[in-house]
Amino acid sequence: MKKFRKVLDGLSSSSQGAVASPSCSRAAGTPPTPQDIHVQETLLSENFHICKTVRHGFPYQPTCLAFDPVQKILAIGSRTGGIRILGRPGVDCYSQHESGAAVLQLQFLINEGALVTACADDTLHLWNLRQRRPAILHSLKFNRERITFCHIPFQSKWLYVGTERGNTHIVNIESFVLSGYVIMWNKAIELATKAHPGPVVHLSDSPKDECKLLIGFESGTVVQWDLRAKKVDFRIYYDEAIHSVSWHHEGNQFMCSHSDGSLTMWNLRNTARPIQITYPHGKILKEGRKESCKPILKVEYKTSRNSNEPYVIFSGGLSYDKAGGRRPTLTIMHGKAITVLEMDHPIVEFLVLCDTPYCNKIQDPYAVVLLLEKDFIMVDLTQSNFPIFETPYPMDIHESPVTCTAYFAECPPDIIPVLYSVGAKQKKTGYSHKEWPVSGGTWTLGSQTYPEVIVTGHADGTVKFWDASAITLQMLYKLKTSKVFENPNAGEGRAVEQVEEDPYAIQMVRWCPQSRLFCVVGISAHVILYRFSKHDANAEIVSLEVRLQFDSEDIISLSETDQCFSDPSSHSPQMPGSPSNGSQDSLHYRKVKSRPVRMPPGYQAELVMQLQWVDREPPQQITSLDINSAYGLLAFGSCNGLVVVDYIQKTILMCVSTLDLYGAADPYQRLTRSPRKNRQSTSGLTELSDNQVSMDMERSKSPTSDHVNGHCTSPTSQPCSLGKSRLPGAPEGPRLPRRGPGRPPFRKAQSAACMEISLPVSSLTEESRENSFSFSRSSSVSSIGRDTKEAVTTLQFGESYGRKGDSVPTACLWVGTSLGVVLLLPISIPTEKERLEEPVTMGPSGTVLMLKGSVLSFSFLDCGGTLIQSPYEVWREPNVPEDPDEPRRRKLVNLSPLSSQEACGDGHLAVVCSEKQAKVILMPTQAVLFTHNVTESSFLLRADVVSVCNSVCLACFCANGHVMTLSLPSLRLLMDTNYFPLTDMRIARTFVFTNGGQALYLSSPTEIQRIAYSQEMTDNLQDMLGELFTPIETPEAQNQGFLKGFFGGNAQTFDREELFGEAAAGKASRSLAQHIPGPMGLENVRAAAGGVVGDLARARIALEQRGERLGELEERTTLMMKSAETFSTHAHQVMLKHKDKKWYQL
């Protein structure tokens, strides 16, 4: 008789603990009892701590952009108060304002390791970037005025702040307090002007003279203010509103963009009128008037050393007549050449990247960064065709809305290179050959890294594989599932589109990295099985049509139960190949390509299973899925029942209602009913709401029917509703009963398998279903009401004991339902030689286990507490011709606990978790060793057994936002953190755990947030993150010639401290702004950094200070020498003067 052996869970099992000696003294073959199980648990509460690690994807709802030309890092602000700072690949940091106010503007303190943010709540924040996780040092809250524009000159410690009232305030960056120096709007304009100039929309210092400040008002007024003289040098008035201003680097002229689509050029020698007015995209009509154009929201005026012609780059300005159907544009004017770049999304902001941080030097632009509403693009200006750079960041996660996620840690080491090799052929071409310009920061591979893969399913039917190793994210491979189906004809397409908006949307995925089998479930109730191949193939795709919808007259009463079960001629679900209940049903589902299909290297479709339409009603959505490569079986369930497919023989083994799985062991007294009309809605999966919904802590009911990560969680969702009852006189196809050897006949299947735990959904809108969790009645009642339907919520293949009397583990399918019922289906699999000819048999065993709430997950441990992996088949290349003399045999890895001296007997532990409860069950005795009621006021959305710190635990995510971990097998609570104050449906659908103490979820429609919940992972996180700041010498300023320095004014001697300091300008009014001090000032910022970079920064600062002291000492020595020489000269002159005089002549 076989005994169990322990299996490594991927890390180590040396510290997992051992079975106590009493259990080892049992006779061989004797099933263990609860008293024989003694597992030494090593996990403690100190091993767990939850924190965010890194955020991937495009910043959701971006608002502004900034770039540090010396450090070469880029920052993006968002409407939700988030900041993303990007550098070289691996340098990607996310920070969040606690207030959640939108970020209006970003300003780098160039090469200082600091960033200023202006938010919509009229607060300025100073961020320290000299640490791996940026932190706020100071905040300044304006109380009486709203902030509209900010500007900080290069190498200055004074920040100019424009307000909605038209005033300009000045903030000291070091102390972050207001200066008493204020430029009031009424002093900036003429006294004769009666109208208010509007908010400040532009502030900049003159490249020619830092003492001159250019102020642009929204109404069209531009003023140059002399900071030292405190007066206006000149005023410019224009009829159209101003959106932006850009200087020529010499400081003699500047360009303005206006709301009528015009560009005006102004020269400081004559400010009465512009020297040039252009409408780049406007024409003069026959009547002599200009064509009306859209506003030019921003313009950049840059000079180039290699060309006498400047670059004029602007967004907008297209004619209204031409722009009706056009997309947003960016125009690049270089001399007489005008290039218009069309964008797929509206332009939020753009920046022109230049080589120098000095505004008075030739700019030499080399790239344009475009921040769009849903994309991030960088254009290469150094090439005439303006190609774009290939973005190294995963900014296209949301290319199609994400509908499901999966996270795999500790993958086989060869899987990532293999996926990358086939995915490299899918990459687009035509990118710029130059390196990515945003190359700031430093990042090194962490010491504890292992292969990690994230899989995302999307609304358009695509699946993306991402390399998530070492907290980075890079696209590996993209799979399009829609290529399996025929393109619908015109008539068919209309019929289908009326039913589903995204017919190929991915609902759930299952992936076996060892065998490289991949399975997807689509929202149109189809399942596609893929095999991986390194070679292309030309093969047909096998299609199986499954009917899992049962007819209205098949309803059975309680008195008919025994009679129907024993009747060999009882009806079973309609099998593939039989006619459906109407000629129109075939028009509604997608047809699989029947001809041979050429498939490139990568994942190639092998088998497609589709649930049939019945009476023009869509099938129920699939709620659970599992696949096992060692058994060659695939199982999926819905609200109607269970389907098991042998994908090796391409046959259906089982297609039954949930009620038929019980056999004679149904624990419920069921009330029959007639099915009600209710149409299916499938758009809810792809419409990911942004609104967060507060969870009601007083409710105690669990969800059972809205699909969240393949589980049923909300009874108000329609997918679990019944189809229409058959119309009178509708044709009925013959039934093909299918019964495996030794399997009892199944009874008629309408009954309670299609009952529904929900309220009528006709009164609920799609939005209310999306943004709310609903709760069902408790499953602990002994009878089920009239509206009850039982869905298959989770499936798991594995080696186990189907019955109490079993002494040898066999292949089993564990089935969990929405009523908290666990069923075991033993499977008889032929030997390897007979696998292709002999059928696989399976059927109900009569084993029924009960829990509270819908069942979420199954996992198995050996008697020593080690996680048991499911058996699998080692991958082999499918597209290689076989030798008829020596046929290839499948290589199976059986990880089930077989005979071992260490296991001390037969048996294993089954960890079963539902929405409300977790149980550890000893098999085959089915004795419940431990029970833990996880939550009473809410319900679980996700539960997985994961390996952490060389041990295992049960990780749970609750609908009220709590993340919990429980020890195994004792189910002690190790961690309970209220991580999400509010939980919305997007997070609920996409939250997944993985090994190593990590998890992820979709934090916004465009971003993936990864978190760590183990203390070990949190401790190592600091070394895995990139450094944002790198000590770099500031480029030297341009040397001025003698004449230019002599006649060019006194810009170099301008001292802002003399004008804006407290001694000269006084203190600002306390009621104007409130200073919120941070933990340290700017001097400490320059020395406050962790790791090697911090040491280098401190050493550099100390060296600079020592150099300054030596310089001061040298200057003092020189002065003393000059003073001594002067004294000696004067003494010598006095001696010569009085040398020949007598004493009385003195």
Side-chain angles (χ1 to χ4, degrees):
M1 183 179 297
K2 295 182 180 180
K3 297 181 180 179
F4 291 123
R5 59 180 173 83
K6 299 176 93 175
V7 180
L8 293 177
D9 62 353
L11 295 173
S12 172
S13 61
S14 59
S15 61
Q16 292 278 339
V19 181
S21 56
S23 64
C24 297
S25 62
R26 294 181 294 105
T30 304
T33 61
Q35 291 74 21
D36 298 324
I37 305 301
H38 300 282
V39 178
Q40 180 180 355
E41 298 180 359
T42 59
L43 291 179
L44 303 173
S45 299
E46 291 76 16
N47 297 120
F48 295 93
H49 174 74
I50 192 167
C51 71
K52 295 181 180 179
T53 56
V54 66
R55 180 170 294 202
H56 304 296
F58 180 77
Y60 184 57
Q61 294 180 335
T63 55
C64 53
L65 190 65
F67 181 71
D68 188 328
V70 178
Q71 289 289 320
K72 294 191 181 299
I73 56 176
L74 186 141
I76 301 174
S78 70
R79 194 176 301 173
T80 56
I83 305 172
R84 281 284 291 281
I85 304 176
L86 305 171
R88 67 176 66 248
V91 179
D92 188 342
C93 180
Y94 174 81
S95 298
Q96 175 72 37
H97 291 90
E98 293 184 1
S99 64
V103 182
L104 301 180
Q105 194 175 355
L106 298 166
Q107 285 281 314
F108 275 106
L109 274 66
I110 297 176
N111 204 29
E112 292 292 339
L115 176 70
V116 175
T117 59
C119 297
D121 59 352
D122 305 311
T123 305
L124 298 174
H125 303 277
L126 178 63
W127 292 80
N128 174 22
L129 306 185
R130 295 185 177 231
Q131 54 192 37
R132 294 179 186 265
R133 288 190 175 274
I136 293 179
L137 298 173
H138 299 281
S139 297
L140 187 65
K141 170 71 174 177
F142 279 74
N143 298 322
R144 296 185 296 182
E145 298 191 51
R146 301 193 65 92
I147 300 172
T148 56
F149 196 87
C150 296
H151 170 69
I152 181 168
F154 180 46
Q155 295 181 324
S156 171
K157 67 176 183 180
W158 298 95
L159 172 70
Y160 302 118
V161 181
T163 66
E164 192 176 34
R165 293 186 180 181
N167 302 325
T168 301
H169 300 273
I170 301 172
V171 178
N172 186 305
I173 291 297
E174 293 180 346
S175 60
F176 228 61
V177 295
L178 278 177
S179 167
Y181 193 112
V182 182
I183 305 174
M184 305 300 291
W185 67 271
N186 54 357
K187 295 182 180 179
I189 64 172
E190 292 181 342
L191 297 178
T193 305
K194 297 181 180 180
H196 190 279
V200 175
V201 296
H202 176 81
L203 291 169
S204 64
D205 50 338
S206 171
K208 192 176 181 180
D209 187 353
E210 294 180 352
C211 184
K212 312 293 185 181
L213 180 66
L214 194 70
I215 306 173
F217 298 94
E218 188 181 54
S219 62
T221 302
V222 179
V223 173
Q224 180 166 289
W225 180 267
D226 189 330
L227 294 170
R228 181 179 288 107
K230 298 183 181 180
K231 66 177 183 178
V232 174
D233 287 342
F234 62 82
R235 297 181 180 91
I236 290 175
Y237 297 98
Y238 195 71
D239 295 336
E240 297 294 335
I242 290 178
H243 288 283
S244 68
V245 180
S246 182
W247 279 98
H248 189 276
H249 80 276
E250 293 180 350
N252 295 322
Q253 56 188 17
F254 58 88
M255 182 177 289
C256 301
S257 68
H258 301 276
S259 58
D260 63 344
S262 65
L263 297 173
T264 58
M265 181 76 74
W266 301 83
N267 194 296
L268 301 190
R269 295 180 180 178
N270 182 12
T271 58
R273 61 179 60 87
I275 61 173
Q276 185 181 8
I277 301 176
T278 58
Y279 290 82
H281 297 297
K283 296 181 180 179
I284 300 178
L285 302 178
K286 295 181 179 180
E287 299 82 8
R289 60 182 180 86
K290 290 286 185 181
E291 210 175 11
S292 59
C293 298
K294 291 184 175 180
I296 296 179
L297 300 179
K298 184 175 182 179
V299 63
E300 290 280 3
Y301 185 32
K302 302 297 181 183
T303 53
S304 175
R305 184 175 287 105
N306 300 326
S307 174
N308 294 328
E309 298 291 341
Y311 283 91
V312 178
I313 304 172
F314 60 89
S315 61
L318 285 180
S319 169
Y320 278 105
D321 296 336
K322 297 179 182 179
R326 286 193 180 183
R327 294 178 290 185
T329 61
L330 180 81
T331 304
I332 302 175
M333 299 173 60
H334 188 212
K336 296 182 179 179
I338 300 178
T339 304
V340 179
L341 305 178
E342 291 189 345
M343 304 297 160
D344 294 330
H345 308 284
I347 299 175
V348 176
E349 189 175 354
F350 73 90
L351 289 177
V352 179
L353 306 189
C354 302
D355 287 329
T356 176
Y358 295 96
C359 61
N360 58 354
K361 294 177 63 176
I362 297 177
Q363 302 298 292
D364 275 333
Y366 58 88
V368 179
V369 182
L370 286 127
L371 180 63
L372 311 181
E373 280 190 359
K374 296 184 179 180
D375 205 353
F376 179 76
I377 298 173
M378 187 172 293
V379 180
D380 186 357
L381 290 179
T382 61
Q383 301 182 39
S384 59
N385 58 342
F386 301 126
I388 65 173
F389 289 89
E390 185 177 6
T391 307
Y393 319 118
M395 293 292 186
D396 57 346
I397 293 176
H398 65 290
E399 184 178 13
S400 176
V402 178
T403 54
C404 70
T405 57
Y407 194 3
F408 302 89
E410 302 168 6
C411 298
D414 60 337
I415 192 67
I416 290 179
V418 166
L419 288 174
Y420 180 80
S421 63
V422 296
K425 302 175 183 178
Q426 300 175 334
K427 289 189 175 181
K428 299 178 181 179
T429 58
Y431 291 111
S432 173
H433 299 294
K434 294 193 174 183
E435 294 184 359
W436 181 251
V438 184
S439 56
T442 56
W443 179 75
T444 56
L445 209 59
S447 59
Q448 297 184 357
T449 59
Y450 42 82
E452 299 177 69
V453 175
I454 294 174
V455 181
T456 56
H458 300 265
D460 62 353
T462 59
V463 178
K464 294 181 181 179
F465 292 79
W466 306 84
D467 178 8
S469 307
I471 70 169
T472 61
L473 195 70
Q474 292 184 354
M475 174 95 130
L476 291 174
Y477 175 71
K478 183 177 180 180
L479 175 66
K480 295 182 179 180
T481 62
S482 59
K483 290 187 175 181
V484 171
F485 301 96
E486 297 277 4
N487 293 325
N489 298 328
E492 297 176 359
R494 287 193 298 269
V496 174
E497 291 301 327
Q498 292 177 359
V499 180
E500 296 163 349
E501 183 178 352
D502 295 302
Y504 305 114
I506 305 299
Q507 191 173 353
M508 66 183 74
V509 298
R510 289 294 181 271
W511 186 42
C512 178
Q514 290 81 11
S515 63
R516 301 182 188 176
L517 280 179
F518 185 63
C519 195
V520 301
V521 171
I523 193 124
S524 299
H526 62 264
V527 181
I528 309 176
L529 174 65
Y530 290 89
R531 284 187 183 271
F532 185 85
S533 175
K534 295 181 180 179
H535 307 287
D536 56 0
N538 194 3
E540 291 188 4
I541 303 173
V542 180
S543 176
L544 297 178
E545 296 178 2
V546 185
R547 175 174 173 176
L548 198 57
Q549 191 94 336
F550 305 100
D551 295 330
S552 57
E553 63 265 21
D554 287 342
I555 298 178
I556 59 175
S557 63
L558 295 177
S559 61
E560 295 176 322
T561 301
D562 297 332
Q563 178 182 357
C564 293
F565 183 73
S566 61
D567 184 7
S569 61
S570 61
H571 293 287
S572 66
Q574 188 170 332
M575 288 290 104
S578 60
S580 59
N581 285 347
S583 59
Q584 297 296 323
D585 289 338
S586 61
L587 297 178
H588 293 288
Y589 60 87
R590 296 290 196 260
K591 293 182 180 179
V592 180
K593 293 180 179 178
S594 57
R595 64 185 184 279
V597 180
R598 183 191 175 280
M599 292 175 280
Y603 275 102
Q604 300 170 353
E606 178 179 310
L607 180 64
V608 178
M609 293 139 284
Q610 292 178 288
L611 296 185
Q612 291 182 340
W613 285 57
V614 178
D615 297 328
R616 304 183 185 181
E617 282 295 321
Q620 304 302 323
Q621 287 186 4
I622 295 171
T623 57
S624 55
L625 172 71
D626 194 33
I627 186 171
N628 189 279
S629 57
Y631 303 157
L633 300 180
L634 183 151
F636 60 91
S638 71
C639 293
N640 282 336
L642 173 68
V643 177
V644 182
V645 178
D646 182 348
Y647 66 79
I648 294 179
Q649 298 184 14
K650 307 297 189 295
T651 58
I652 295 180
L653 300 180
M654 179 178 290
C655 179
V656 296
S657 68
T658 315
L659 181 60
D660 288 321
L661 296 174
Y662 288 100
D666 191 351
Y668 291 112
Q669 177 184 358
R670 302 178 185 260
L671 304 177
T672 61
R673 68 173 180 86
S674 297
R676 57 184 178 177
K677 298 181 181 180
N678 208 343
R679 292 191 61 87
Q680 177 185 4
S681 172
T682 61
S683 60
L685 183 66
T686 59
E687 295 177 2
L688 299 181
S689 171
D690 308 329
N691 299 327
Q692 293 181 326
V693 182
S694 177
M695 307 307 300
D696 188 356
M697 298 298 294
E698 299 300 323
R699 295 180 180 177
S700 61
K701 306 306 178 184
S702 60
T704 54
S705 67
D706 187 5
H707 309 289
V708 176
N709 288 337
H711 305 299
C712 295
T713 59
S714 172
T716 61
S717 179
Q718 293 181 349
C720 291
S721 60
L722 281 173
K724 289 182 180 178
S725 59
R726 183 143 34 91
L727 299 175
E732 179 181 3
R735 306 283 179 87
L736 298 180
R738 183 180 184 88
R739 195 179 311 141
R743 176 151 40 106
F746 296 112
R747 33 185 179 169
K748 294 183 180 180
Q750 164 69 29
S751 67
C754 294
M755 294 179 180
E756 190 179 71
I757 307 181
S758 69
L759 299 174
V761 297
S762 57
S763 61
L764 294 176
T765 64
E766 188 68 33
E767 183 178 359
S768 63
R769 287 196 308 273
E770 178 71 25
N771 295 331
S772 62
F773 288 107
S774 302
F775 302 81
S776 71
R777 68 188 68 184
S778 173
S779 60
S780 61
V781 295
S782 59
S783 62
I784 301 178
R786 188 173 299 274
D787 289 332
T788 302
K789 181 197 293 187
E790 189 171 12
V792 177
T793 57
T794 185
L795 298 166
Q796 180 69 53
F797 286 104
E799 298 284 315
S800 187
Y801 301 87
R803 300 173 181 86
K804 284 187 177 181
D806 291 349
S807 58
V808 178
T810 59
C812 289
L813 175 62
W814 287 63
V815 182
T817 73
S818 57
L819 297 183
V821 178
V822 177
L823 304 168
L824 271 70
L825 278 67
I827 307 172
S828 176
I829 301 177
T831 61
E832 185 65 23
K833 294 182 179 179
E834 301 174 346
R835 183 64 180 86
L836 295 177
E837 292 80 16
E838 294 296 325
V840 177
T841 60
M842 61 186 302
S845 65
T847 299
V848 178
L849 308 173
M850 301 291 297
L851 286 88
K852 295 180 181 179
S854 176
V855 181
L856 296 181
S857 67
F858 301 113
S859 293
F860 308 110
L861 308 177
D862 65 12
C863 293
T866 302
L867 183 65
I868 301 176
Q869 305 286 350
S870 298
Y872 62 87
E873 175 190 2
V874 178
W875 176 81
R876 58 177 182 169
E877 175 58 55
N879 296 330
V880 173
E882 295 189 8
D883 188 354
D885 298 331
E886 296 182 3
R888 292 190 303 166
R889 301 184 61 183
R890 298 196 308 155
K891 183 180 179 181
L892 305 181
V893 178
N894 191 354
L895 299 178
S896 60
L898 301 179
S899 59
S900 173
Q901 295 297 326
E902 298 176 341
C904 302
D906 302 327
H908 70 85
L909 306 178
V911 182
V912 186
C913 189
S914 70
E915 297 171 331
K916 295 284 188 178
Q917 197 175 53
K919 288 186 178 182
V920 176
I921 303 171
L922 177 62
M923 303 298 291
T925 61
Q926 300 179 12
V928 179
L929 301 182
F930 301 98
T931 302
H932 180 75
N933 293 322
V934 182
T935 177
E936 293 295 337
S937 59
S938 185
F939 55 91
L940 295 184
L941 297 172
R942 186 83 186 189
D944 293 293
V945 173
V946 294
S947 60
V948 178
C949 302
N950 298 330
S951 187
V952 291
C953 68
L954 177 63
C956 305
F957 172 53
C958 196
N960 59 11
H962 284 244
V963 177
M964 296 170 283
T965 56
L966 304 173
S967 66
L968 290 176
S970 63
L971 297 178
R972 291 182 296 108
L973 185 63
L974 298 175
M975 181 186 71
D976 186 357
T977 303
N978 187 11
Y979 183 68
F980 299 100
L982 299 172
T983 302
D984 59 14
M985 287 300 298
R986 185 193 317 104
I987 297 176
R989 285 174 174 162
T990 57
F991 194 100
V992 288
F993 292 101
T994 191
N995 294 329
Q998 297 190 79
L1000 66 82
Y1001 59 91
L1002 203 66
S1003 58
S1004 72
T1006 62
E1007 295 169 292
I1008 290 176
Q1009 177 69 57
R1010 292 165 68 177
I1011 64 174
Y1013 55 89
S1014 74
Q1015 186 65 51
E1016 181 182 8
M1017 183 67 183
T1018 304
D1019 295 339
N1020 296 330
L1021 179 63
Q1022 193 71 10
D1023 296 331
M1024 300 172 68
L1025 295 175
E1027 293 274 3
L1028 296 175
F1029 178 78
T1030 306
I1032 300 175
E1033 292 295 332
T1034 302
E1036 294 183 0
Q1038 184 179 7
N1039 293 325
Q1040 292 184 342
F1042 173 76
L1043 294 178
K1044 189 173 183 180
F1046 187 78
F1047 296 104
N1050 54 354
Q1052 298 299 323
T1053 61
F1054 176 60
D1055 187 2
R1056 294 183 176 88
E1057 181 69 30
E1058 295 180 358
L1059 296 178
F1060 308 144
E1062 183 176 342
K1067 294 183 178 180
S1069 173
R1070 293 183 178 181
S1071 62
L1072 183 60
Q1074 177 186 358
H1075 175 233
I1076 305 173
M1080 47 186 172
L1082 189 62
E1083 291 79 12
N1084 293 331
V1085 174
R1086 295 178 178 174
V1092 178
V1093 174
D1095 297 336
L1096 291 174
R1098 285 189 287 271
R1100 174 176 173 245
I1101 293 172
L1103 185 61
E1104 290 176 351
Q1105 292 175 352
R1106 183 172 180 270
E1108 291 175 357
R1109 294 192 189 100
L1110 289 175
E1112 293 175 358
L1113 179 60
E1114 184 179 357
E1115 291 177 358
R1116 287 198 296 268
T1117 304
T1118 304
L1119 291 175
M1120 289 177 65
M1121 290 178 62
K1122 289 182 178 180
S1123 177
E1125 290 177 358
T1126 303
F1127 178 77
S1128 175
T1129 302
H1130 286 298
H1132 184 67
Q1133 290 175 355
V1134 171
M1135 185 270 296
L1136 292 177
K1137 180 178 179 181
H1138 303 285
K1139 179 180 179 181
D1140 298 330
K1141 291 184 179 181
K1142 302 296 182 181
W1143 62 270
Y1144 54 84
Q1145 293 176 335
L1146 296 177

